[in-house]
Amino acid sequence: MCAGMLSPSVYAADQPKPRLTLEQRADKARIDSQRIEQAQLEKARRAAQETSVREEKIRQQSNPQDWEAQQKLKAQKQFDERESREQKYLQEAKEAAAKERKIPKP
């Protein structure tokens, strides 16, 4: 049984490996190089496309015009609140000044 298992490896060792000439090796290396280069270019294209898609999403989410409008509304609201508080305090001060005060006698 062991002899049967060893015979395929012995048989494979008996057959000579196909030897490539230097020119064939160069051709094979050139083809492999082109395949690798094409694969890398495709990866780079996909990465660039994904990046541009992400950038566009971010641009849409953070539209500066919307942000500016929100900030203006927020500032206007704060200004109006401050102005109404001032008016309220002035009104209270006028009412307090108009009241007659009785000073208790000691």
Side-chain angles (χ1 to χ4, degrees):
M1 179 130 151
C2 287
M5 294 175 95
L6 292 176
S7 64
S9 62
V10 172
Y11 178 72
D14 290 344
Q15 287 185 340
K17 290 184 181 179
R19 295 281 181 181
L20 300 175
T21 64
L22 194 55
E23 186 176 338
Q24 289 171 333
R25 286 184 189 173
D27 289 341
K28 185 177 182 298
R30 204 173 298 115
I31 291 169
D32 290 345
S33 175
Q34 288 175 348
R35 281 189 201 139
I36 291 170
E37 185 178 356
Q38 289 300 318
Q40 289 175 339
L41 284 172
E42 186 59 34
K43 283 182 186 178
R45 283 186 194 113
R46 275 188 265 137
Q49 186 178 14
E50 289 172 4
T51 301
S52 65
V53 167
R54 281 194 309 259
E55 287 174 351
E56 186 60 32
K57 280 184 183 177
I58 290 170
R59 256 189 239 115
Q60 288 175 355
Q61 288 174 354
S62 63
N63 191 347
Q65 294 172 351
D66 290 342
W67 182 81
E68 288 176 13
Q70 289 173 353
Q71 294 303 311
K72 284 181 182 179
L73 287 173
K74 184 177 174 183
Q76 185 64 43
K77 183 179 175 185
Q78 288 174 345
F79 178 78
D80 292 343
E81 287 175 359
R82 190 176 305 121
E83 189 175 22
S84 69
R85 275 196 309 266
E86 287 176 5
Q87 292 299 323
K88 181 178 122 184
Y89 295 147
L90 283 173
Q91 184 64 31
E92 287 176 358
K94 285 180 185 177
E95 289 174 2
K99 285 185 180 178
E100 287 186 27
R101 299 220 160 105
K102 293 184 181 178
I103 299 176
K105 293 184 181 180

